[in-house]
Amino acid sequence: MMKKEVKIPPIKEGIAIDHLPKNRAIKVAQILDVGREEDGMVTIGMNLQSNKLGSKDVLKIEGRDLTDKEINKIAIIAPDATVSFIKNYEVEEKIKVRLPKKIEGIVRCSNPRCITRSQDMKTKFIAVSKKPIQIRCHYCERLMNEEDIEIL
Amino acid sequence: MKSFKKRHIISIHDFTKEDIIRILEASFRIEKQGKVGGARNLLRGKVLANLFFEPSTRTMFSFATAMEKLGGSVLSFADMTATSIKKGESLKDTIKILSGYSDVIVIRHPEEGAARYASECSSVPVLNAGDGANQHPTQTFLDLFTIKKTQRHITDLRVAMVGDLKYGRTVHSLAYALSLFNCSLHLVSPPELRMPEEIKKMVADNGCTFFEHEKIEDVLDKVDVLYSCRIQKERFFDQIEYEKVKNAFIITKNMLKNVKPNFVLMHPLPRINEISTDVDKSPHAVYFDQAKNGVPVRQALLALTLGAIK
Ligand SMILES: [Zn+2]
């Protein structure tokens, strides 16, 4: 008989973010500012087996809900991620994140001479490609690749 | 077709092929009318605010001349660093206040994206006169106007671009615009100053063919237009390398012996030594006319965005 291994303990209520690229869970945890008052148990699973990604990361936060803005942030650094909303140990809703066409107020422009760096204003990017991820600054028109992307 | 009235002129990428054709047609019309004095009152009573956050005397004068030739008046803020900006006023506030005084704003700013942001803060049309290394669309329109004027059309031409193709914003925008008109591009530069992949991809996506070369001689006798631009010293770490490269791209009168009869030599000016002065009298040299062409093109853009012409 095969032993069913429980790698990541289940949570009663909260969110489970799955299919994160390898070594991306910590970054997602940072973006979501884990360790807030309302957060319960936070579990980070890294380098788990995945049929789709080979190796993947998982992040579970008990007692947490996500805003659309937070989901968009996840989409920018982990375009294949799924988010499950859990209630009473059951998946109530599962969504696949989607890179929005317009990305507002989430990413910092990597161009040091961009107007968004000196003025008190919202940054704005247009998604050019999803895989590999490429976004263009609406203001300075700089094309940014994954390695240039810094979440605000 | 989208009206030009109240439209901002920020980036060449905002314009379709049809838009460009219309702008060029309007420029020819205005130039013709101007010769018989017919455009003198087109913008009477209108005020242009020239906001230059970094100096560029030529561009500023060109816009001022364009406005005055149409009967409008000009407020010039040549040195914005000396005014309220120094006191820390935001660009948003400056634009909001000035768009209350004027009917059109011309902005030059060292930071990239400043003109786009200004257009979002303004209640009147904003014309970008250069935002850092990003865009300078009126330069592109006057380049296209010059090409059309000398070649009678801008489709299916062979155009060479020579010099610093990596950092030169004028060549990036012009390459993009010409790619909409099925021109073939011959890119001549030292290996370290080649046209960025991003621009080459954009050009190729528009179905335009391009070729890369390292010597002017390889293309000179085959092309209709040669667009020369400056190689800036600041781009080189090694000064010896700079001297070597700089001198490899000089165009002299002797070199023009076998060019096509319709061949023209263009340059956005100012030049350093890319074109030797003995070329100036050649009928192929059109760079001074090119600078002059900035006036009718800017007149047309002002008249279009202010709704005085269609
Ligand atoms: Zn930017």
PDB file of all heavy atoms in Angstrom, chain A residues 109-111 113-117 124-125 137-142 144, chain B residues 112-113, ligand 1:
ATOM      1  N   CYS A 109       9.157  51.277 -12.331  1.00  0.00           N
ATOM      2  CA  CYS A 109       9.841  51.300 -13.627  1.00  0.00           C
ATOM      3  C   CYS A 109      11.342  51.170 -13.411  1.00  0.00           C
ATOM      4  O   CYS A 109      11.911  51.821 -12.542  1.00  0.00           O
ATOM      5  CB  CYS A 109       9.526  52.581 -14.395  1.00  0.00           C
ATOM      6  SG  CYS A 109      10.276  52.579 -16.032  1.00  0.00           S
ATOM      7  N   SER A 110      11.983  50.322 -14.213  1.00  0.00           N
ATOM      8  CA  SER A 110      13.415  50.062 -14.022  1.00  0.00           C
ATOM      9  C   SER A 110      14.290  51.165 -14.633  1.00  0.00           C
ATOM     10  O   SER A 110      15.492  51.166 -14.453  1.00  0.00           O
ATOM     11  CB  SER A 110      13.787  48.716 -14.640  1.00  0.00           C
ATOM     12  OG  SER A 110      13.641  48.778 -16.046  1.00  0.00           O
ATOM     13  N   ASN A 111      13.669  52.087 -15.362  1.00  0.00           N
ATOM     14  CA  ASN A 111      14.427  53.171 -15.986  1.00  0.00           C
ATOM     15  C   ASN A 111      14.646  54.302 -14.975  1.00  0.00           C
ATOM     16  O   ASN A 111      13.689  54.973 -14.583  1.00  0.00           O
ATOM     17  CB  ASN A 111      13.640  53.675 -17.202  1.00  0.00           C
ATOM     18  CG  ASN A 111      14.289  54.865 -17.879  1.00  0.00           C
ATOM     19  OD1 ASN A 111      15.379  55.296 -17.501  1.00  0.00           O
ATOM     20  ND2 ASN A 111      13.616  55.405 -18.884  1.00  0.00           N
ATOM     21  N   ARG A 113      15.653  57.167 -15.335  1.00  0.00           N
ATOM     22  CA  ARG A 113      15.285  58.494 -15.848  1.00  0.00           C
ATOM     23  C   ARG A 113      13.794  58.598 -16.185  1.00  0.00           C
ATOM     24  O   ARG A 113      13.363  59.520 -16.878  1.00  0.00           O
ATOM     25  CB  ARG A 113      16.129  58.814 -17.087  1.00  0.00           C
ATOM     26  CG  ARG A 113      17.584  59.154 -16.727  1.00  0.00           C
ATOM     27  CD  ARG A 113      18.457  59.172 -17.964  1.00  0.00           C
ATOM     28  NE  ARG A 113      17.952  60.057 -18.986  1.00  0.00           N
ATOM     29  CZ  ARG A 113      18.304  61.335 -19.099  1.00  0.00           C
ATOM     30  NH1 ARG A 113      19.165  61.860 -18.278  1.00  0.00           N
ATOM     31  NH2 ARG A 113      17.801  62.076 -20.059  1.00  0.00           N
ATOM     32  N   CYS A 114      13.029  57.635 -15.730  1.00  0.00           N
ATOM     33  CA  CYS A 114      11.590  57.674 -16.001  1.00  0.00           C
ATOM     34  C   CYS A 114      10.907  58.698 -15.099  1.00  0.00           C
ATOM     35  O   CYS A 114      11.245  58.828 -13.924  1.00  0.00           O
ATOM     36  CB  CYS A 114      10.976  56.295 -15.760  1.00  0.00           C
ATOM     37  SG  CYS A 114       9.195  56.260 -16.043  1.00  0.00           S
ATOM     38  N   ILE A 115       9.932  59.393 -15.661  1.00  0.00           N
ATOM     39  CA  ILE A 115       9.207  60.436 -14.919  1.00  0.00           C
ATOM     40  C   ILE A 115       8.527  59.864 -13.667  1.00  0.00           C
ATOM     41  O   ILE A 115       8.394  60.553 -12.656  1.00  0.00           O
ATOM     42  CB  ILE A 115       8.185  61.151 -15.849  1.00  0.00           C
ATOM     43  CG1 ILE A 115       7.601  62.412 -15.193  1.00  0.00           C
ATOM     44  CG2 ILE A 115       7.063  60.230 -16.309  1.00  0.00           C
ATOM     45  CD1 ILE A 115       8.532  63.578 -15.104  1.00  0.00           C
ATOM     46  N   THR A 116       8.153  58.585 -13.712  1.00  0.00           N
ATOM     47  CA  THR A 116       7.469  57.984 -12.557  1.00  0.00           C
ATOM     48  C   THR A 116       8.392  57.866 -11.344  1.00  0.00           C
ATOM     49  O   THR A 116       7.937  57.664 -10.229  1.00  0.00           O
ATOM     50  CB  THR A 116       6.940  56.561 -12.881  1.00  0.00           C
ATOM     51  OG1 THR A 116       8.045  55.730 -13.257  1.00  0.00           O
ATOM     52  CG2 THR A 116       5.925  56.581 -14.008  1.00  0.00           C
ATOM     53  N   ARG A 117       9.701  57.995 -11.590  1.00  0.00           N
ATOM     54  CA  ARG A 117      10.653  57.877 -10.484  1.00  0.00           C
ATOM     55  C   ARG A 117      10.815  59.199  -9.738  1.00  0.00           C
ATOM     56  O   ARG A 117      11.310  59.211  -8.617  1.00  0.00           O
ATOM     57  CB  ARG A 117      12.019  57.414 -11.002  1.00  0.00           C
ATOM     58  CG  ARG A 117      11.982  56.067 -11.719  1.00  0.00           C
ATOM     59  CD  ARG A 117      11.947  54.904 -10.764  1.00  0.00           C
ATOM     60  NE  ARG A 117      13.215  54.745 -10.094  1.00  0.00           N
ATOM     61  CZ  ARG A 117      14.152  53.857 -10.434  1.00  0.00           C
ATOM     62  NH1 ARG A 117      13.945  53.033 -11.433  1.00  0.00           N
ATOM     63  NH2 ARG A 117      15.271  53.776  -9.773  1.00  0.00           N
ATOM     64  N   LYS A 124       2.357  52.882 -14.551  1.00  0.00           N
ATOM     65  CA  LYS A 124       1.411  52.212 -15.421  1.00  0.00           C
ATOM     66  C   LYS A 124       2.192  51.453 -16.491  1.00  0.00           C
ATOM     67  O   LYS A 124       3.081  52.012 -17.117  1.00  0.00           O
ATOM     68  CB  LYS A 124       0.514  53.266 -16.076  1.00  0.00           C
ATOM     69  CG  LYS A 124      -0.763  52.742 -16.642  1.00  0.00           C
ATOM     70  CD  LYS A 124      -1.678  53.944 -16.819  1.00  0.00           C
ATOM     71  CE  LYS A 124      -2.670  53.828 -17.906  1.00  0.00           C
ATOM     72  NZ  LYS A 124      -3.335  55.116 -18.146  1.00  0.00           N
ATOM     73  N   PHE A 125       1.856  50.187 -16.667  1.00  0.00           N
ATOM     74  CA  PHE A 125       2.530  49.362 -17.665  1.00  0.00           C
ATOM     75  C   PHE A 125       1.499  48.662 -18.535  1.00  0.00           C
ATOM     76  O   PHE A 125       0.392  48.387 -18.082  1.00  0.00           O
ATOM     77  CB  PHE A 125       3.414  48.307 -16.990  1.00  0.00           C
ATOM     78  CG  PHE A 125       4.561  48.909 -16.239  1.00  0.00           C
ATOM     79  CD1 PHE A 125       4.378  49.385 -14.946  1.00  0.00           C
ATOM     80  CD2 PHE A 125       5.801  49.038 -16.827  1.00  0.00           C
ATOM     81  CE1 PHE A 125       5.433  49.974 -14.252  1.00  0.00           C
ATOM     82  CE2 PHE A 125       6.850  49.626 -16.142  1.00  0.00           C
ATOM     83  CZ  PHE A 125       6.665  50.091 -14.851  1.00  0.00           C
ATOM     84  N   CYS A 137       6.521  50.294 -20.091  1.00  0.00           N
ATOM     85  CA  CYS A 137       6.118  51.458 -19.292  1.00  0.00           C
ATOM     86  C   CYS A 137       5.280  52.387 -20.176  1.00  0.00           C
ATOM     87  O   CYS A 137       5.700  52.752 -21.271  1.00  0.00           O
ATOM     88  CB  CYS A 137       7.343  52.187 -18.740  1.00  0.00           C
ATOM     89  SG  CYS A 137       6.921  53.677 -17.814  1.00  0.00           S
ATOM     90  N   HIS A 138       4.111  52.741 -19.705  1.00  0.00           N
ATOM     91  CA  HIS A 138       3.205  53.622 -20.438  1.00  0.00           C
ATOM     92  C   HIS A 138       3.827  55.015 -20.604  1.00  0.00           C
ATOM     93  O   HIS A 138       3.528  55.725 -21.552  1.00  0.00           O
ATOM     94  CB  HIS A 138       1.897  53.692 -19.640  1.00  0.00           C
ATOM     95  CG  HIS A 138       0.980  54.811 -20.001  1.00  0.00           C
ATOM     96  ND1 HIS A 138       0.256  54.823 -21.164  1.00  0.00           N
ATOM     97  CD2 HIS A 138       0.669  55.958 -19.344  1.00  0.00           C
ATOM     98  CE1 HIS A 138      -0.470  55.929 -21.200  1.00  0.00           C
ATOM     99  NE2 HIS A 138      -0.241  56.638 -20.122  1.00  0.00           N
ATOM    100  N   TYR A 139       4.714  55.399 -19.704  1.00  0.00           N
ATOM    101  CA  TYR A 139       5.312  56.735 -19.743  1.00  0.00           C
ATOM    102  C   TYR A 139       6.608  56.774 -20.546  1.00  0.00           C
ATOM    103  O   TYR A 139       6.668  57.395 -21.597  1.00  0.00           O
ATOM    104  CB  TYR A 139       5.502  57.269 -18.321  1.00  0.00           C
ATOM    105  CG  TYR A 139       4.168  57.502 -17.658  1.00  0.00           C
ATOM    106  CD1 TYR A 139       3.631  56.576 -16.772  1.00  0.00           C
ATOM    107  CD2 TYR A 139       3.401  58.625 -17.978  1.00  0.00           C
ATOM    108  CE1 TYR A 139       2.377  56.759 -16.211  1.00  0.00           C
ATOM    109  CE2 TYR A 139       2.151  58.822 -17.422  1.00  0.00           C
ATOM    110  CZ  TYR A 139       1.640  57.898 -16.539  1.00  0.00           C
ATOM    111  OH  TYR A 139       0.403  58.076 -16.003  1.00  0.00           O
ATOM    112  N   CYS A 140       7.640  56.076 -20.091  1.00  0.00           N
ATOM    113  CA  CYS A 140       8.945  56.193 -20.761  1.00  0.00           C
ATOM    114  C   CYS A 140       9.097  55.198 -21.905  1.00  0.00           C
ATOM    115  O   CYS A 140      10.092  55.225 -22.626  1.00  0.00           O
ATOM    116  CB  CYS A 140      10.078  56.042 -19.763  1.00  0.00           C
ATOM    117  SG  CYS A 140      10.319  54.352 -19.193  1.00  0.00           S
ATOM    118  N   GLU A 141       8.125  54.275 -22.074  1.00  0.00           N
ATOM    119  CA  GLU A 141       8.098  53.289 -23.155  1.00  0.00           C
ATOM    120  C   GLU A 141       9.179  52.217 -23.035  1.00  0.00           C
ATOM    121  O   GLU A 141       9.433  51.484 -23.986  1.00  0.00           O
ATOM    122  CB  GLU A 141       8.143  53.973 -24.539  1.00  0.00           C
ATOM    123  CG  GLU A 141       7.004  54.964 -24.725  1.00  0.00           C
ATOM    124  CD  GLU A 141       6.870  55.511 -26.144  1.00  0.00           C
ATOM    125  OE1 GLU A 141       7.468  54.960 -27.069  1.00  0.00           O
ATOM    126  OE2 GLU A 141       6.138  56.502 -26.308  1.00  0.00           O
ATOM    127  N   ARG A 142       9.846  52.136 -21.890  1.00  0.00           N
ATOM    128  CA  ARG A 142      10.854  51.091 -21.731  1.00  0.00           C
ATOM    129  C   ARG A 142      10.204  49.706 -21.638  1.00  0.00           C
ATOM    130  O   ARG A 142       9.200  49.530 -20.957  1.00  0.00           O
ATOM    131  CB  ARG A 142      11.705  51.337 -20.485  1.00  0.00           C
ATOM    132  CG  ARG A 142      12.560  50.097 -20.215  1.00  0.00           C
ATOM    133  CD  ARG A 142      13.743  50.290 -19.376  1.00  0.00           C
ATOM    134  NE  ARG A 142      14.648  51.361 -19.744  1.00  0.00           N
ATOM    135  CZ  ARG A 142      15.814  51.515 -19.128  1.00  0.00           C
ATOM    136  NH1 ARG A 142      16.174  50.691 -18.177  1.00  0.00           N
ATOM    137  NH2 ARG A 142      16.605  52.509 -19.471  1.00  0.00           N
ATOM    138  N   MET A 144      10.316  46.055 -20.281  1.00  0.00           N
ATOM    139  CA  MET A 144      10.930  45.382 -19.147  1.00  0.00           C
ATOM    140  C   MET A 144      10.698  43.887 -19.213  1.00  0.00           C
ATOM    141  O   MET A 144       9.590  43.431 -19.483  1.00  0.00           O
ATOM    142  CB  MET A 144      10.363  45.940 -17.841  1.00  0.00           C
ATOM    143  CG  MET A 144      10.973  47.290 -17.483  1.00  0.00           C
ATOM    144  SD  MET A 144      10.041  48.189 -16.226  1.00  0.00           S
ATOM    145  CE  MET A 144      10.001  47.017 -14.898  1.00  0.00           C
TER     146      MET A 144
ATOM    147  N   GLU B 112      12.251  60.814 -19.148  1.00  0.00           N
ATOM    148  CA  GLU B 112      11.478  60.072 -20.126  1.00  0.00           C
ATOM    149  C   GLU B 112      10.060  59.793 -19.628  1.00  0.00           C
ATOM    150  O   GLU B 112       9.877  59.381 -18.486  1.00  0.00           O
ATOM    151  CB  GLU B 112      12.232  58.771 -20.463  1.00  0.00           C
ATOM    152  CG  GLU B 112      13.456  59.092 -21.304  1.00  0.00           C
ATOM    153  CD  GLU B 112      14.704  58.316 -20.946  1.00  0.00           C
ATOM    154  OE1 GLU B 112      14.595  57.173 -20.534  1.00  0.00           O
ATOM    155  OE2 GLU B 112      15.802  58.900 -21.096  1.00  0.00           O
ATOM    156  N   GLY B 113       9.101  60.084 -20.480  1.00  0.00           N
ATOM    157  CA  GLY B 113       7.709  59.896 -20.097  1.00  0.00           C
ATOM    158  C   GLY B 113       7.070  61.183 -19.581  1.00  0.00           C
ATOM    159  O   GLY B 113       5.873  61.221 -19.317  1.00  0.00           O
TER     160      GLY B 113
HETATM  161 ZN    ZN C   1       9.085  54.209 -17.178  1.00  0.00          ZN
END
